[in-house]
């Protein structure tokens, strides 16, 4: 090897210029530096017979080709380039910048070799040493930051893996921390011997039977939305349900979260119906409804929570009894808040969610409600006003802007607008603006409420087992309010204008998508139709006998489809509700005009009859006319 090194040194000396004086240091060009490095790598692979210049050129080409292939495939030993043989480098010491550039190249080669990067690296890079140093620093900083992030994620993952699943669910979902964990320590000690679902059930039961309200308040924590007017147990169970949206990648943990969700619903129902006393259950259900009606209530409680209540109540004994109490409390609040449009609309949304909950193809709430005795009570089938007050589903149609129904809706809007500042210079313009604002607000509220009424009625019609019952419900309202088209109407015997307009809107929305070609035009002539046309009346151009003969000879289909019944009910209720309501103000104005004329006539002729024997009679008549005029206005 010494001989070989001597020969290579002699060859290099013969082909290179003499070295500079030792006192001065020369900077080599990149091409010269690359050539000398190739000669250095070629010292261990050349043969002993390299004596001629032509053979050296051929070997240099082979070595350079081999070196480029090795650089492309990252097969060069990284330690080999770190060795600097001073005996072979007879051109003097390399400069510091060249050493830094070489170390940068070596570092890049190392990174490519460690990451498996097969891309080639160009040794003849034009980057300056300063740029290479900055690139290396950025590379080191990136690796350091990536390592720190990876360590943090690994620490978090290890922490989650170290904490048992049951304890994590208790801490996150049930909000039981180390500070208030004393009352379940014995349950956690038995966690290895019992199932996790059983332990969670025992924790819910212990919270339910706990008489320490301070303990439940500590479980609620610093909840800014909580107030003393809400039931503390219901608030805690509902908060547990909302926290069950916690996501997990473990199947076991997802099962326990779903189990907590069902437990919160079950223990809510147990708390409501625990004593078995109807009044107690009624009051607790009203408190549950108050929580669901607040503005900060999550949407999951108004949808999935109610659906879970229907599902659990459907499988309990007695069947759907708990759900019936919830529906009745909603209808009770609808009667109370018909003048408060926002609360009324939220109640309709809650009732709609109950009616739309399904069990397969069946809607259990719709099926159950039509079987109750007060769906169409027999004692109320005498007049429209009684049926409006006593029918089960009537409160959903109560909202009205008419003074004879409920004037509080307009008064509420007027009070809100009166709180605004009034400009004295434009008082008339302000009154007109106020009137327009009240009108637009009330119209938008009525439209929103009526759309929800339509969806509730559509849920009953979409359910096969409740479709005929809903048709009977609408048919009775039409038949009992036929007197609304008479010239003189007793308001105590018929339903209100607002109620009838709501029913008209609902039926018109139901009949809107129906194809007219599917409607049987002979439906009014059938003997068992649902219309309220009396059968003993004669028709135009026919006697009763002629009509009976025509009715017997008409071809009746095997079954009457829903589109036909819906269209004709809509036409009839539009006549009773919309047309009668539109004519009512006109008749009232005519009556007021007649009363004013009679009062004016009596007052003008007061001098002629005051001294007669008819004076007492005329004075009583004048007082009666003024009182009636006041009522009409």
């Amino acid at each position: 090897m010494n001989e070989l090194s001597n020969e290579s040194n002699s060859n290099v000396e013969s082909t290179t210029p003499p070295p500079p004086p030792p006192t001065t240091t020369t900077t080599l060009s990149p091409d010269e530096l690359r050539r000398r490095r190739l000669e250095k790598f070629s010292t261990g692979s050349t043969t002993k017979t390299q004596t001629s210049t032509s053979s050296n050129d051929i070997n240099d080409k082979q070595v350079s080709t081999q070196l480029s292939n090795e650089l492309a495939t990252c097969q060069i030993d990284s330690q080999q380039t770190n060795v600097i043989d001073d005996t072979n480098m007879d051109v003097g010491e390399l400069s510091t910048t060249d050493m830094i550039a070489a170390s940068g190249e070596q570092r890049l080669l190392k990174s490519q070799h460690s990451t498996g990067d097969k891309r080639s690296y160009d040794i003849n890079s034009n980057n300056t040493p300063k740029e290479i140093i900055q690139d290396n620093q950025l590379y080191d900083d990136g690796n350091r930051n990536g390592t720190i992030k990876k360590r943090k994620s690994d620490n978090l993952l290890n922490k989650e893996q170290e904490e048992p699943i049951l304890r994590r669910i208790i801490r996150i979902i049930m909000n039981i921390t180390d500070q208030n964990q004393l009352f379940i320590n014995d349950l956690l000690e038995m966690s290895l011997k019992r199932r996790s679902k059983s332990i969670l059930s025992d924790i819910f039961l212990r919270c339910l039977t706990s008489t320490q309200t301070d303990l439940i308040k500590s479980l609620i924590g610093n909840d800014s939305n909580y107030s003393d007017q809400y039931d503390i147990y219901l608030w805690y169970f509902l908060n547990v349900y909302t926290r069950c949206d916690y996501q997990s990648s473990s199947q076991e943990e997802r099962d326990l979260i779903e189990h907590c969700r069902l437990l919160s619903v079950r223990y809510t129902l147990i708390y409501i119906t625990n004593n078995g006393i109807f009044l107690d259950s009624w009051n607790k259900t009203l408190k549950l409804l108050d929580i669901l009606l607040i503005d900060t209530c999550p949407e999951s409680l108004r949808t999935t929570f109610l659906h879970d209540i229907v599902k659990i109540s459907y499988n309990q004994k007695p069947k759907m009894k708990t759900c019936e109490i919830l529906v009745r409390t909603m209808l009770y609040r609808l009667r109370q808040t018909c003048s408060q449009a926002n609360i009324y609309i939220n109640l309709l949304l809650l009732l709609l969610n109950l009616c739309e909950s399904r069990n397969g193809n069946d809607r259990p709430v719709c099926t159950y409600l039509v079987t109750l005795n007060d769906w169409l009570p027999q004692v109320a089938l005498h007049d429209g006003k009684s049926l409006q007050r006593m029918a089960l589903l009537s409160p959903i149609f109560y909202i009205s802007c008419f003074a004879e129904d409920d004037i509080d809706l307009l008064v509420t809007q007027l009070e809100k607008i009166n709180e605004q500042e009034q400009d004295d210079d434009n008082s008339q313009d302000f009154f007109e603006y106020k009137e327009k604002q009240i009108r637009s607000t009330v119209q938008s509220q009525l439209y929103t409420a009526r759309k929800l009424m339509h969806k509730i009625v559509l849920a009953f019609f979409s359910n096969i087992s409740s479709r005929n019952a809903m048709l009977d419900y609408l048919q009775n309202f039409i038949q009992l309010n036929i007197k609304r088209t008479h010239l003189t109407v007793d308001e105590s015997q018929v339903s209100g204008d607002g109620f009838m307009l709501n029913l008209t809107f609902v039926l018109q929305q139901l009949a809107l998508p129906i194809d007219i070609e599917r409607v049987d035009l002979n439906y009014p002539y059938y003997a068992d139709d649902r219309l309220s046309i009396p059968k003993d009346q004669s028709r135009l151009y026919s006697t009763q006998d002629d009509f009976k003969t025509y009715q017997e000879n008409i071809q009746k289909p095997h079954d009457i489809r829903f589109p036909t019944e819906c269209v004709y009910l809509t036409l009839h209720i539009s006549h009773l509700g919309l047309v009668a309501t539109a004519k009512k103000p006109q008749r009232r104005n005519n009556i007021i005009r007649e009363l004013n004329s009679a009062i004016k006539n009596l007052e003008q002729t007061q001098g002629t009859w005051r001294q007669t024997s008819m004076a007492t009679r005329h004075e009583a008549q004048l007082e009666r006319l003024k009182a009636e005029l006041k009522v009409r206005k």
Side-chain angles (χ1 to χ4, degrees), residues 598-633:
I599 292 172
K600 185 178 180 180
N601 187 19
L602 286 174
E603 288 178 349
Q604 289 178 353
T605 59
Q606 187 175 5
T608 59
W609 53 261
R610 181 176 293 277
Q611 303 299 329
T612 63
S613 59
M614 301 293 292
T616 305
R617 181 178 178 182
H618 287 305
E619 289 178 357
Q621 185 180 4
L622 183 61
E623 292 178 359
R624 181 177 60 81
L625 291 175
K626 289 181 178 181
E628 188 176 356
L629 178 62
K630 186 178 180 180
V631 173
R632 292 292 181 179
K633 289 184 176 181

Side-chain angles (χ1 to χ4, degrees), residues 65-95:
T65 304
Q66 181 182 1
L67 180 62
S68 63
N69 294 333
E70 290 175 351
L71 287 173
T73 56
C74 300
Q75 294 178 358
I76 298 177
D77 189 3
S78 60
Q79 296 180 357
Q80 184 179 358
T81 58
N82 294 331
V83 181
I84 301 177
D85 192 358
D86 295 338
T87 59
N88 296 333
M89 300 300 292
D90 57 346
V91 293
E93 294 292 331
L94 293 175
S95 63

Side-chain angles (χ1 to χ4, degrees), residues 171-205:
R171 176 177 56 84
I172 296 177
I173 295 180
M174 304 191 70
N175 202 23
I176 299 176
T177 58
D178 297 336
Q179 299 176 356
N180 46 28
Q181 199 173 340
L182 296 176
F183 73 107
I184 61 167
N185 282 336
D186 54 343
L187 295 177
L188 293 177
E189 291 176 356
M190 296 185 297
S191 60
L192 298 177
K193 301 178 182 179
R194 299 181 59 192
R195 296 174 57 192
S196 299
K197 292 184 178 181
S198 302
I199 294 175
L200 289 175
S201 301
D202 291 343
I203 294 174
F204 271 95
L205 182 60

Side-chain angles (χ1 to χ4, degrees), residues 548-566:
K548 288 181 180 179
T549 303
Y550 174 78
Q551 194 176 26
E552 292 174 357
N553 296 331
I554 195 172
Q555 294 181 358
K556 181 183 177 181
H558 180 69
D559 55 344
I560 301 173
R561 294 184 297 180
F562 170 74
T564 300
E565 294 180 332
C566 182

